[in-house]
Amino acid sequence: MKFVQNIFEKLHPLVEKDGKRNVFYPLYDSIHTLMFVPGHSTHNGAHVRDAIDMKRTMMMVIFALVPAMLFGMWNAGYWHYYALGEASTLMDNFLFGLIKILPMIVVTYVAGLGVEIVFAWLRNHPVNEGFLVSGLLIPLIMPIDIPLWMVAVSTIFAVIIGKEVFGGTGMNILNPALTARAFAFFAYPQWMSGDKIWINTAGDAGQTVVDGYSGATALGHLATTVGKGIGAPETQNVVSMFTADGAYSMYNSFMGFIPGSIGETSSLAILLGAAFLIYTGVGSWRIMLSMILGGLFMGYIFNAFAVNEFMRINPVHHLFLGGFMFGAIFMATDPVSASQTQTGKWIYGFLAGVFGIMIRVFNPAYPEGIMLAILFMNVLAPLIDHYVVESNIKRRLKRVKA
Amino acid sequence: MVISNFARALKKRLFLKNEMAQTKKIKRGYDLKLVGKAASSIESVQNPKTFALSPTDFANLTPKVVVKEGAEIKAGDAVFVDKDRPEIRFCSPVSGAVAEIRRGEKRKILDVIILADKETRFIDFGRSNPASLQREVVIDKMLEGGVWPLMVERPFGVVPNPKHQPKNIFVTGINSAPLAADVNLTVAGEEANLQTGLDALAKLTDGKVYLSLDGDNKPAAALTGAKNVEVVYFSGPHPKGNVGVQMHELAPLNKGEQAFTATLSDVIIIGRFFNTGKLDMTRVVAAAGSEMSSPKHYKIVAGANLEGVIAEQVKSAKARVISGNVLTGKRIEKNGYLGFFSTEITALPEGDQPEFLGWILPGLEKFSLSRTFFSWLAPNRQYKLDTAMHGEERAFVMTGVLERVFPFDIYPVELIKSILIQDIEKMEQLGIYEVIEEDFALCEVIDPSKMPLQEIVREGLDFLRQEVG
């Protein structure tokens, strides 16, 4: 690898501070440090250091996302061919998804890192690694049919408004990936909800959907039962979808054989990622567990006071629908926007779970309540931390009096 | 019946120390296992030609040099004093001629170099038994003989103010830092000096003198049987030996209070001073680390030039030599000097080679407390670590990481942030008076954001001392 290092060394004078092309320094620096962990040695303080750094930490999250991403690719193809009534093999399904999703990933990274590099150059700091994760999260929480330019606009909005205005990675209040989704959701609602967008049926002429096919998500179906009372005859076809042999059975929704945002459908794939995150210590198990407990808690409360079929859904089943699992494992655990104290993490996660299920069930206009719940808890997280830290301060003051 | 009686007696013998003294368990911490532990043999070093006394070994000290270049001095003559408290004298550990006063940027005094005589001539301060002296007399003697700066005052970790009445005094008898000198070797042959030193400290406070010992090892009888002190055992990983951790467990410091601290090696020198009337700064020092050819202990006078030892021990031209341990020590040159407080010389390989795709490789050989490298498969591996940073400095992103090795009831990240924005009220509320930079050393090692935490804490303490202290 010496020759690659030589290329970088040759380029260095060109891009350094007084060089002719110093505009490109952040780009050069980010690629260089990505290729080679810099040969800095410790100069003050502790003389030896843990081998972990931000890049490695972020890569762990990307590894954890791989199962959900691969499954999402397969699932996109599966539903595409299913809707068209065509037979397809596992490879067909996967390749279809790959061709649709890879451009989204590329567009997200180019748009997001572009903004990051511009800000790095303006503010004279190195490009931060945070976007490596956001750049993969954003496509995974988008519907398959969203136009690429919307992905790009949402990403740029999220990086600028969600992150850079606060001072960049580590300073943001909101989860950047969810900010992107929230922006798309409110700016282009027709592309982010409804029953046309979750399965790719648009595009090539001559594609026709098989008769009687509906592309709504599980939550979309459930939302139609709100306000109709328990046992109302017009809700029974929806209820039957959630029984053991229905389309959205517990098994299907756990495995992910349902339509939805690209990466969010398979709880199994997400839990594989969760196991990896918890094992490496990169993701907070406190937040994951407490959010699941919060969701279950709210689900059981709804069960107890059910007035419609949506409220009667099994709380465990709730967890496997929509973006709950993806939110609990990959979104709520973003260390910067989550609660930062260990006690705070329990409260933060639990409330995110409670609000997620609450918004989902009480407000059918926003069936995907998890996104809003986590964003809301992102805003509340500093307050939670404030009170947790305050109790530590009080404890210390009490000691003086004693 | 006989057997059960015997078993009870045995049990009593084995757990005697636990029945008599309290044992505190430190849970959050980490023992960094490094290659190159010093063997338990002590070698004396022929006194080197030059010595250095450095004001930079004392936190936040403004020195006033009281000798001229070329002056003849004896061991125990003041070389510089504290400018603000001139009664605090920093004395030469050897006799000889002042060779050079080395200065750095802004004429800051780096150190005073002394060309040593062949045979050290000591000033005779007179023998005395501190147990039978008045408190003021003990203080005056310690100030005059130059052993006062061997103690450290909390908060701020500075040379103690003789006017302060410490709430308690804490002596740490645990060297838990990586590759640290063996405590029992340090004490061997110095039992009387140790006890005299403890007696002297006991005169300084109306509170207690705590002597903390390693609950996971077997400390020497002179330690477990020390009089005039309260013995406390600490078990668990490093930083159990950090005096700040021990204070936090035993009697945490509040705003407006002071406590004095010292290590065993320092107490022995204080006791030796009272027993002999001479300032003899000889310490037991561990020469350790993977770059030492035969790691072992030495008896060396503080401030000694280490060129001889390093030339004998460190073969590689590209090695990092540290006066102190790998967590808190000071980097020195191959002809550098032993620091005032150092009981360890460490040599490590320099790590300045870029590493191709280092952030993605499995890293079977890498040390990490996180399980993002495969090296967690071998938890008891002894590492041959180099000095590589393994990454660049970033803002705080990860949370709950530093807490793993920070056994205080303090939020480390919040405290660091309050220091960075110089919010005095928040710093005080969050517990800055209970810590000094060494307490953040392990945090600094494992921080994925690679922040200079020790430097930040030291700057915060200096800032606070200037504003309110």
Side-chain angles (χ1 to χ4, degrees):
Chain A
M1 281 306 132
K2 192 70 199 152
F3 86 100
V4 185
Q5 181 68 341
N6 288 344
I7 295 174
F8 279 111
E9 265 161 29
K10 250 184 216 152
L11 281 173
H12 194 262
L14 209 60
V15 295
E16 69 187 357
K17 214 172 171 201
D18 309 319
K20 268 187 192 159
R21 298 278 180 269
N22 60 9
V23 178
F24 293 112
Y25 184 75
L27 184 66
Y28 162 87
D29 183 56
S30 56
I31 297 173
H32 188 195
T33 56
L34 214 55
M35 297 279 285
F36 295 90
V37 171
H40 303 161
S41 60
T42 54
H43 47 91
N44 53 5
H47 297 266
V48 294
R49 299 298 167 104
D50 198 306
I52 196 171
D53 67 347
M54 260 3 272
K55 283 192 176 67
R56 180 119 193 151
T57 311
M58 295 300 173
M59 277 317 290
M60 294 300 130
V61 188
I62 291 180
F63 287 149
L65 280 167
V66 167
M69 182 184 75
L70 294 181
F71 184 87
M73 288 176 176
W74 175 84
N75 202 37
Y78 172 79
W79 285 101
H80 169 76
Y81 291 116
Y82 179 85
L84 297 184
E86 291 173 18
S88 61
T89 64
L90 186 145
M91 213 53 209
D92 291 338
N93 294 342
F94 180 76
L95 282 178
F96 176 85
L98 184 71
I99 290 163
K100 290 293 291 180
I101 293 163
L102 203 57
M104 290 173 76
I105 296 176
V106 171
V107 163
T108 316
Y109 273 117
V110 169
L113 286 176
V115 177
E116 290 264 0
I117 286 174
V118 168
F119 271 89
W121 181 71
L122 286 175
R123 294 202 179 127
N124 199 13
H125 67 63
V127 176
N128 280 311
E129 288 78 14
F131 193 77
L132 292 179
V133 171
S134 310
L136 190 54
L137 284 174
I138 291 173
L140 293 187
I141 51 175
M142 292 290 180
I144 184 81
D145 252 1
I146 190 165
L148 289 178
W149 67 268
M150 284 184 197
V151 177
V153 172
S154 308
T155 305
I156 291 168
F157 176 87
V159 175
I160 294 178
I161 304 296
K163 200 156 81 170
E164 292 300 342
V165 293
F166 294 106
T169 304
M171 319 289 175
N172 45 307
I173 293 170
L174 298 176
N175 182 325
L178 279 183
T179 310
R181 195 183 196 281
F183 175 81
F185 184 81
F186 290 108
Y188 315 110
Q190 73 278 25
W191 289 97
M192 293 296 291
S193 52
D195 54 7
K196 295 282 181 288
I197 49 136
W198 306 103
I199 296 168
N200 175 273
T201 51
D204 306 344
Q207 287 191 352
T208 46
V209 177
V210 289
D211 276 350
Y213 178 77
S214 158
T217 63
L219 295 173
H221 283 298
L222 281 172
T224 63
T225 70
V226 173
K228 300 220 174 83
I230 293 173
E234 66 267 37
T235 63
Q236 289 315 300
N237 64 326
V238 171
V239 171
S240 71
M241 292 177 188
F242 291 85
T243 55
D245 47 346
Y248 303 114
S249 66
M250 185 88 90
Y251 175 77
N252 279 355
S253 33
F254 177 74
M255 299 302 286
F257 305 140
I258 52 173
S261 295
I262 293 164
E264 71 173 23
T265 60
S266 173
S267 298
L268 179 67
I270 293 165
L271 285 172
L272 279 178
F276 184 75
L277 285 182
I278 291 172
Y279 194 76
T280 53
V282 170
S284 165
W285 61 269
R286 288 179 181 83
I287 294 177
M288 297 179 194
L289 179 64
S290 61
M291 181 152 168
I292 287 170
L293 290 177
L296 286 175
F297 173 78
M298 200 64 221
Y300 279 113
I301 291 202
F302 278 145
N303 276 188
F305 300 98
V307 294
N308 60 36
E309 293 293 350
F310 203 165
M311 291 173 82
R312 287 182 62 195
I313 289 285
N314 181 346
V316 180
H317 204 156
H318 251 310
L319 303 184
F320 303 147
L321 297 176
F324 191 95
M325 271 297 164
F326 197 85
I329 308 301
F330 294 111
M331 291 296 176
T333 51
D334 166 24
V336 176
S337 55
S339 213
Q340 308 199 346
T341 56
Q342 304 297 57
T343 320
K345 282 173 187 167
W346 286 105
I347 304 169
Y348 162 89
F350 190 82
L351 290 180
V354 166
F355 286 129
I357 299 295
M358 192 193 286
I359 298 172
R360 169 190 283 186
V361 174
F362 275 175
N363 196 340
Y366 300 131
E368 202 32 281
I370 306 302
M371 167 187 83
L372 297 172
I374 296 176
L375 285 173
F376 179 60
M377 289 314 295
N378 283 168
V379 175
L380 279 191
L383 187 70
I384 298 172
D385 283 337
H386 173 80
Y387 282 108
V388 173
V389 172
E390 200 68 16
S391 78
N392 177 272
I393 291 171
K394 287 225 178 80
R395 209 155 50 234
R396 194 164 291 110
L397 285 177
K398 222 182 218 166
R399 203 172 66 201
V400 183
K401 283 177 197 137
Chain B
M1 192 63 193
V2 176
I3 293 174
S4 72
N5 270 350
F6 177 73
R8 204 175 301 145
L10 189 72
K11 205 170 160 190
K12 207 170 171 187
R13 254 194 104 75
L14 283 174
F15 295 100
L16 197 61
K17 63 178 189 192
N18 294 339
E19 281 174 28
M20 291 177 66
Q22 52 175 331
T23 301
K24 299 268 185 187
K25 274 208 161 59
I26 300 299
K27 291 204 185 85
R28 290 178 293 162
Y30 186 74
D31 282 324
L32 192 54
K33 298 175 197 78
L34 299 181
V35 172
K37 198 172 162 45
S40 27
S41 58
I42 302 190
E43 207 166 283
S44 284
V45 177
Q46 195 65 40
N47 260 0
K49 288 200 186 76
T50 57
F51 283 77
L53 194 59
S54 171
T56 57
D57 283 340
F58 308 91
N60 205 5
L61 173 77
T62 316
K64 186 178 170 219
V65 179
V66 293
V67 290
K68 295 242 155 57
E69 282 181 10
E72 283 289 328
I73 52 172
K74 284 187 190 169
D77 266 326
V79 173
F80 51 85
V81 298
D82 187 335
K83 198 174 180 189
D84 308 316
R85 303 171 295 185
E87 68 273 23
I88 301 177
R89 295 151 39 96
F90 299 82
C91 300
S92 172
V94 287
S95 61
V98 178
E100 190 189 357
I101 299 168
R102 294 202 292 192
R103 290 172 186 272
E105 275 174 47
K106 295 183 187 166
R107 292 187 49 76
K108 181 186 170 185
I109 296 164
L110 298 179
D111 47 21
V112 179
I113 309 291
I114 299 147
L115 201 60
D117 294 338
K118 281 220 172 67
E119 200 72 38
T120 305
R121 289 168 293 131
F122 291 95
I123 293 182
D124 188 3
F125 294 99
R127 297 176 193 193
S128 54
N129 177 10
S132 59
L133 297 177
Q134 293 287 318
R135 179 174 187 265
E136 284 67 32
V137 182
V138 173
I139 295 175
D140 286 344
K141 274 195 152 299
M142 287 176 76
L143 284 168
E144 195 195 355
V147 293
W148 185 262
L150 285 164
M151 297 186 296
V152 173
E153 181 179 295
R154 298 292 193 98
F156 307 122
V158 293
V159 179
N161 187 334
K163 294 188 186 75
H164 284 166
Q165 179 92 28
K167 191 178 152 200
N168 294 298
I169 295 180
F170 296 84
V171 178
T172 173
I174 310 172
N175 288 350
S176 61
L179 302 175
D182 185 332
V183 167
N184 289 348
L185 278 184
T186 307
V187 176
E190 303 280 354
E191 292 83 358
N193 291 338
L194 173 70
Q195 188 56 53
T196 309
L198 292 172
D199 291 343
L201 295 189
K203 281 283 163 180
L204 302 179
T205 176
D206 293 335
K208 284 177 178 164
V209 177
Y210 290 98
L211 172 63
S212 52
L213 299 178
D214 197 336
D216 303 321
N217 274 318
K218 215 171 176 305
L223 293 166
T224 54
K227 291 174 202 68
N228 225 349
V229 294
E230 177 155 334
V231 173
V232 187
Y233 290 88
F234 282 85
S235 68
H238 184 67
K240 68 179 167 186
N242 277 12
V243 76
V245 174
Q246 298 162 5
M247 286 171 64
H248 187 75
E249 290 288 327
L250 297 169
L253 211 56
N254 299 312
K255 190 185 176 183
E257 297 171 344
Q258 289 94 26
F260 294 174
T261 72
T263 68
L264 272 191
S265 186
D266 303 321
V267 176
I268 289 169
I269 296 173
I270 294 172
R272 196 185 289 142
F273 166 74
F274 280 102
N275 282 345
T276 64
K278 296 174 191 167
L279 176 64
D280 177 357
M281 293 280 294
T282 308
R283 290 181 189 273
V284 173
V285 174
S290 57
E291 292 296 294
M292 293 278 179
S293 51
S294 64
K296 59 186 163 203
H297 292 77
Y298 288 95
K299 272 196 170 160
I300 310 181
V301 176
N305 187 289
L306 295 174
E307 201 172 2
V309 175
I310 294 170
E312 181 197 322
Q313 286 273 13
V314 184
K315 299 300 176 212
S316 159
K318 253 184 71 179
R320 163 92 48 111
V321 185
I322 303 159
S323 164
N325 63 54
V326 294
L327 298 178
T328 59
K330 214 190 243 180
R331 175 187 196 160
I332 56 171
E333 299 300 319
K334 295 270 161 57
N335 56 359
Y337 295 87
L338 185 67
F340 189 81
F341 292 101
S342 294
T343 55
E344 192 178 332
I345 312 162
T346 319
L348 299 175
E350 273 299 353
D352 50 5
Q353 287 306 306
E355 197 190 353
F356 181 64
L357 294 182
W359 45 276
I360 201 170
L361 297 175
L364 290 163
E365 304 292 318
K366 295 279 179 60
F367 156 70
S368 180
L369 204 56
S370 73
R371 283 194 270 201
T372 60
F373 295 86
F374 279 98
S375 48
W376 57 262
L377 288 166
N380 288 318
R381 180 204 299 272
Q382 283 195 338
Y383 288 94
K384 187 183 166 182
L385 292 188
D386 61 24
T387 62
M389 275 302 270
H390 296 294
E392 297 167 289
E393 191 178 328
R394 291 289 184 262
F396 280 119
V397 170
M398 296 302 287
T399 59
V401 176
L402 307 189
E403 284 88 341
R404 290 181 65 188
V405 293
F406 190 71
F408 291 83
D409 183 22
I410 286 174
Y411 286 101
V413 176
E414 276 70 15
L415 178 58
I416 292 287
K417 284 181 177 171
S418 72
I419 295 172
L420 288 173
I421 58 168
Q422 300 200 324
D423 183 338
I424 291 177
E425 199 188 340
K426 265 271 135 59
M427 284 188 230
E428 291 183 336
Q429 288 178 340
L430 290 169
I432 195 169
Y433 291 129
E434 298 181 48
V435 295
I436 59 170
E437 60 270 35
E438 68 173 11
D439 297 314
F440 278 84
L442 270 179
C443 295
E444 189 172 73
V445 172
I446 67 161
D447 180 14
S449 294
K450 311 288 177 190
M451 293 250 212
L453 299 177
Q454 294 196 77
E455 190 180 283
I456 293 170
V457 172
R458 179 32 68 193
E459 278 170 12
L461 288 168
D462 288 352
F463 170 74
L464 202 60
R465 184 168 183 238
Q466 192 187 336
E467 296 292 317
V468 303

